[in-house]
Amino acid sequence: MKELLANPVLVKEIKLRFRNMKSFTGLFFYLLIMGIFVFGFINLTSSISGSGFFRPEESFMLFSMLSYIQLGLILFITPGLTAGTVSSEREKQTLNILLTTAQSSFQIIFGKLLSSIAFLLLLLVSGLPIYSMVFLYGGVSPSQIAIIFLFYFLTLLVIGGLGVMYSTLTRRTIVSMIVTYGTMIFLTAVTGFFLILSVSLSSAAMGTGVSPLSYFWASINPAVVLLTLLEPGFNDEVGQMTGIPLPLWVSYTIFYMLIFVGSIWLSVSKLRVNMNKYR
């Protein structure tokens, strides 16, 4: 692990990214907008209720909204940060030089991936003080926040791994970015559509709203799994209707870890092969 973190590729990429004023300007405006949203929501809700108090159920609603905003941030920014990691080097004709160093293919891929998602990790961590506002009003436990941030980290790793894989397999950054965003849309919007369709068909055919196929589509959809983390009782309802007692987050973790391992393995194995191909 020490050798991986001392990776020259990782060190160089992180220095380039965090010495850029745009990164900290983006971080400042992100926290500013989040802060305005939180305090505006608290003031607006307290005014509408007429009591002048922010109740625990309203605090949980705020926490849920912040959670989905963070998820949207991960889903839509990660592809843009990772889809050009290798292909941009190829376009600038600097990948040949990188491959002649003593760095292994895994070190190059690992360095590119971690440096690309480091900024998003910083965004998530820097938003923790804003998240902690919900503790002042109740409705959310610290363990729930920890679980959701682990969910974010897994989702971030998988989408980042897919972006690096497509960047390795394709020659052009624009093609890699389109395919990465297409995969992200499939995992969110398309699986959500198939989930609604399978629920409707199961309800019409068997009188139940959820089938084993519905369970599959739900278990790989980040938005649905996040809902079960926010509302744990939803897992019990899904288990009763499908006969599958396994919580959705367990299936989600297994499925996404397989995708992550497969994407990293493919990136490492094809990095030098594709370099020879595109010479």
Side-chain angles (χ1 to χ4, degrees):
M1 180 59 69
K2 183 178 179 181
E3 293 180 356
L4 288 177
L5 295 179
N7 186 337
V9 175
L10 174 61
V11 174
K12 185 203 75 157
E13 294 287 339
I14 287 181
K15 284 182 178 179
L16 288 176
R17 185 172 298 278
F18 287 97
R19 285 178 178 175
N20 191 340
M21 193 62 188
K22 292 180 181 179
S23 298
F24 292 96
T25 303
L27 178 62
F28 169 77
F29 282 106
Y30 164 73
L31 294 177
L32 178 64
I33 293 172
M34 289 288 285
I36 293 174
F37 172 78
V38 169
F39 287 104
F41 183 87
I42 292 174
N43 290 330
L44 181 62
T45 306
S46 301
S47 301
I48 292 177
S49 64
S51 61
F53 295 101
F54 195 62
R55 295 169 295 184
E57 56 270 22
E58 294 166 346
S59 176
F60 179 77
M61 182 187 302
L62 172 62
F63 174 71
S64 300
M65 294 173 67
L66 287 175
S67 298
Y68 274 100
I69 290 174
Q70 293 274 46
L71 179 61
L73 179 79
I74 292 172
L75 294 176
F76 288 98
I77 294 183
T78 306
L81 294 176
T82 59
T85 51
V86 178
S87 57
S88 61
E89 295 278 359
R90 187 180 292 116
E91 289 173 344
K92 292 183 292 186
Q93 298 184 354
T94 55
L95 187 57
N96 273 329
I97 301 174
L98 185 60
L99 293 178
T100 58
T101 64
Q103 301 298 302
S104 66
S105 296
F106 178 76
Q107 287 177 311
I108 294 173
I109 294 298
F110 178 82
K112 289 289 187 180
L113 172 62
L114 192 56
S115 63
S116 298
I117 66 175
F119 180 66
L120 267 175
L121 289 174
L122 178 61
L123 284 180
L124 293 177
V125 173
S126 63
L128 280 174
I130 298 177
Y131 263 87
S132 65
M133 290 290 295
V134 298
F135 291 130
L136 298 176
Y137 305 99
V140 180
S141 65
S143 60
Q144 194 171 22
I145 291 183
I147 291 172
I148 288 177
F149 267 78
L150 288 175
F151 163 78
Y152 287 155
F153 183 68
L154 174 61
T155 306
L156 182 63
L157 276 181
V158 173
I159 298 177
L162 288 171
V164 172
M165 181 189 71
Y166 291 133
S167 181
T168 305
L169 297 178
T170 59
R171 188 169 187 175
R172 299 295 179 185
T173 299
I174 185 65
V175 176
S176 172
M177 195 168 295
I178 290 173
V179 177
T180 306
Y181 273 108
T183 304
M184 183 275 300
I185 292 173
F186 172 80
L187 292 173
T188 53
V190 177
T191 58
F193 170 76
F194 285 149
L195 173 61
I196 295 173
L197 182 62
S198 61
V199 168
S200 300
L201 293 176
S202 299
S203 179
M206 299 180 293
T208 59
V210 183
S211 65
L213 184 60
S214 303
Y215 176 90
F216 170 75
W217 293 122
S219 65
I220 65 174
N221 187 294
V224 176
V225 175
L226 179 58
L227 176 62
T228 63
L229 295 177
L230 293 170
E231 295 284 355
F234 184 69
N235 270 317
D236 298 332
E237 296 180 8
V238 172
Q240 291 175 0
M241 288 185 287
T242 61
I244 303 175
L246 195 66
L248 290 180
W249 67 266
V250 175
S251 301
Y252 181 87
T253 302
I254 295 172
F255 182 79
Y256 274 63
M257 281 303 298
L258 290 174
I259 293 179
F260 175 71
V261 173
S263 62
I264 296 300
W265 174 81
L266 196 58
S267 300
V268 171
S269 62
K270 294 294 184 179
L271 178 62
R272 298 180 189 273
V273 174
N274 281 358
M275 190 63 244
N276 295 329
K277 176 182 176 182
Y278 292 132
R279 280 177 180 174

